[in-house]
Amino acid sequence: MLNRLVLAFLICSLAASGCKQADQTPCTSSAVTAKAPPTEVATLKQYIDANKIAATADDRGFYYSIQSPGTGAKPTVCSNVTVNYSGKLTDNSTFDSGNGVSFGLNQLIIGWQEGIPLVAPGGSITLYLPPSLAYGSAAQNGIPANSILIFKIDLLKVN
């Protein structure tokens, strides 16, 4: 019975992945240049200042703090990476986390596409993202619309 369930899952997974055109398109982007609107940047800066967070402002509108830069070649938006991460809201509630999870950066929110390439494998970074570089005005599983998001990310490797 278990073997049939595993086989059915594999068949469904293969069938579903065969229909994804986006995953089959080669990534040609070399850098992300999206910028957050000034109002979001000002709100994020207020949060950073009010909580006395030591973070660097990026010209694209997010803030970051590098705990460890890592070593080796940094990923690009076209890279597939393996990370440990946790995502929190400004009230410190955790909405998501994962360990040893692999992603294609070009399939993730813009803030990750812009922030993760700031560190190399073995590096650790905290990203403070305004809504437009995260999920914007769309509410997502446990994330209210227009939320500032905080991600602690350990870049384990570039695959």
Side-chain angles (χ1 to χ4, degrees), residues 62-133:
F62 66 95
Y63 282 75
Y64 65 92
S65 175
I66 296 175
Q67 290 77 47
S68 172
T71 58
K74 294 178 180 177
T76 69
V77 71
C78 291
S79 296
N80 184 287
V81 297
T82 301
V83 299
N84 294 337
Y85 73 95
S86 66
K88 295 187 175 193
L89 300 172
T90 55
D91 67 3
N92 208 32
S93 62
T94 301
F95 61 83
D96 194 14
S97 65
N99 289 313
V101 182
S102 294
F103 300 107
L105 277 183
N106 66 335
Q107 298 170 341
L108 301 176
I109 60 174
I110 293 171
W112 277 45
Q113 292 177 29
E114 295 176 330
I116 291 178
L118 296 173
V119 295
S124 180
I125 190 168
T126 303
L127 299 175
Y128 302 89
L129 304 178
S132 63
L133 300 181

Side-chain angles (χ1 to χ4, degrees), residues 11-76:
I11 291 170
C12 290
S13 296
L14 289 172
S17 66
C19 296
K20 293 181 183 174
Q21 282 300 105
D23 291 350
Q24 297 171 2
T25 305
C27 181
T28 57
S29 299
S30 58
V32 179
T33 57
K35 289 189 177 190
T39 54
E40 288 185 7
V41 176
T43 301
L44 179 55
K45 182 175 181 356
Q46 274 185 314
Y47 171 79
I48 296 289
D49 292 346
N51 291 280
K52 297 177 175 52
I53 297 169
T56 302
D58 187 274
D59 291 342
R60 295 166 285 191
F62 66 95
Y63 282 75
Y64 65 92
S65 175
I66 296 175
Q67 290 77 47
S68 172
T71 58
K74 294 178 180 177
T76 69

